[in-house]
Amino acid sequence: MEKIIFQEEQKSNLVWLTIILLISLFSVVTPFAYGIYLQEVLHKPFGNNPVSTGTLVVIGLASVILIGATNFLLVSMRLKIKVTNEALWVSFPPLKRWKKITPEMIHHYEIRTYNAQREFGGHGLKRTRKAGTSYTLGGNVGLQLYFVGGKKFLIGTQKKQALEYAMRKLMTGENKDGL
């Protein structure tokens, strides 16, 4: 049975982006609502080349659904890290499910400071040729994994000492049953 040595869950802290999305939602809904009101209540055409009210409703609803889904995705993003006596587990719901990384896959690792913007083009789920893959939601400290095949993977953390301790336990096999 796998024993959990370390667990961390980070939530996206993008309040400013949520505000921008809500403002954009309002700025998209307002003209469509005005156009529908103009055509249905005042019986005047909306714009120089008016479309049907049904078209306004469909385009307006599609815009609301797209912006709403984007906002939901950003608000529900999480970075989950778990170290057990068998493996390192990482997920980035709702985009990525649990990924299992065993000690045999890791050539070496380090806890390091990084610059998300310079190295990966920002926080989030990123992949570059030079820097590899990163799962980050904020901050500038992460667990850098160097895989046996040469690939790199950076996982952001807010609990660097606890994660470093757990990784040391995992890599040395200190917590395995019978040792």
Side-chain angles (χ1 to χ4, degrees):
M1 183 172 165
E2 288 189 279
K3 177 182 171 190
I4 296 174
I5 305 168
F6 172 84
Q7 202 163 5
E8 178 180 6
E9 180 175 332
Q10 299 173 43
K11 298 177 184 177
S12 62
N13 189 12
L14 302 173
V15 175
W16 61 271
L17 190 55
T18 301
I19 291 169
I20 290 171
L21 284 169
L22 290 174
I23 290 169
S24 66
L25 182 64
F26 180 75
S27 63
V28 165
V29 168
T30 302
F32 284 103
Y34 177 70
I36 294 166
Y37 171 77
L38 203 61
Q39 290 186 174
E40 290 300 310
V41 177
L42 301 180
H43 303 290
K44 294 181 179 179
F46 178 59
N48 295 335
N49 192 8
V51 296
S52 70
T53 302
T55 303
L56 286 174
V57 168
V58 168
I59 294 171
L61 281 176
S63 301
V64 167
I65 290 169
L66 181 65
I67 293 170
T70 302
N71 196 23
F72 173 77
L73 181 69
L74 291 172
V75 168
S76 64
M77 278 194 310
R78 306 271 188 269
L79 173 56
K80 295 181 177 184
I81 307 164
K82 181 170 58 172
V83 180
T84 67
N85 57 341
E86 300 292 327
L88 165 67
W89 296 83
V90 61
S91 76
F92 205 101
L95 302 174
K96 293 283 187 179
R97 294 184 178 193
W98 285 104
K99 176 182 177 92
K100 181 180 183 180
I101 303 167
T102 62
E104 296 78 31
M105 299 166 66
I106 302 170
H107 182 268
H108 67 283
Y109 71 92
E110 65 179 325
I111 300 290
R112 73 173 184 89
T113 302
Y114 64 91
N115 183 315
Q117 192 63 43
R118 190 171 346 126
E119 294 179 48
F120 300 100
H123 289 287
L125 206 98
K126 304 287 183 165
R127 180 173 289 137
T128 69
R129 275 195 182 135
K130 184 179 178 185
T133 302
S134 74
Y135 288 11
T136 63
L137 277 180
N140 66 346
V141 175
L143 170 65
Q144 179 72 64
L145 301 173
Y146 301 91
F147 291 116
V148 172
K151 292 186 178 181
K152 298 185 228 175
F153 187 28
L154 178 78
I155 305 164
T157 184
Q158 303 296 314
K159 301 176 179 180
K160 86 178 198 181
Q161 280 122 349
L163 181 55
E164 188 170 27
Y165 173 80
M167 284 302 295
R168 188 169 42 254
K169 292 267 191 197
L170 171 67
M171 296 303 285
T172 60
E174 288 181 38
N175 277 354
K176 291 200 177 175
D177 293 334
L179 291 181

